[in-house]
Amino acid sequence: MRFYNAMPDKNTAIDKVFKWVVDIVVVAMLAVFLMNYIGLRTKVVGNSMAKELVNNDEVFIDTLIYRLKKPSRFDVISFTKQGADGGSMEYIKRIIGLPGETVEIKDGRIYIDNKLLDYNKDMEDIVNPGLASSPITLSYNEYFVIGDNWNSSEDSRSGTVENVREEEITGKVWLVISPFVRIGLVN
């Protein structure tokens, strides 16, 4: 009696097609699960985050990560702000100031706790410091955010956005998924 056959059976064409279909179904189900329970997909509006993100880029937002850890400096986040009219607006910006820090923009540059922030040194000076023209001290659950294209961005410097509270953060933007030529990780 023989229990082991050194030569496996040859797969028939039907077996190969069936295995291929099962693989596609499993991958599709995994993608649907990820998009519905771990992340969101949204479209970038405007160029306030250019060159990193530009108008009409579709991005994937990890909604799970900030349940496991706190946001970090330079994370690109998605957050929602309630408007005065009761509506809400979704933004995508970069975290610059962390809870407990003091943020100020002077001489066209960002200062954290009176120390020059080593960020975007090659960029032109910030023309409008807005609310950050005087020191802003962040509370225990607030973040200061700014667009990478800071002279064309509505962010924590403006009265409509201001500081972002932790509960307003939707998640971390980490992947450009469309258009095809821009697919890649967000830095």
Side-chain angles (χ1 to χ4, degrees), residues 116-169:
L116 179 64
L117 182 66
D118 185 21
Y119 176 66
N120 271 358
K121 285 186 175 181
D122 299 337
M123 291 269 302
E124 58 199 34
D125 288 347
I126 297 173
V127 176
N128 180 12
L131 298 173
S133 61
S134 57
I136 298 172
T137 301
L138 302 168
S139 73
Y140 74 96
N141 70 338
E142 288 183 328
Y143 296 85
F144 189 92
V145 297
I146 195 164
D148 286 355
N149 184 7
W150 51 42
N151 284 323
S152 182
S153 177
E154 184 180 19
D155 45 45
S156 288
R157 299 172 292 162
S158 71
T160 54
V161 177
E162 297 180 330
N163 300 331
V164 177
R165 293 188 321 274
E166 199 167 324
E167 60 268 13
E168 295 172 324
I169 297 174

Side-chain angles (χ1 to χ4, degrees), residues 25-46:
V25 169
V26 168
V27 168
M29 288 173 49
L30 182 61
V32 168
F33 173 79
L34 289 174
M35 294 301 284
N36 287 321
Y37 296 104
I38 297 182
L40 297 171
R41 182 176 157 172
T42 193
K43 188 173 274 198
V44 175
V45 177

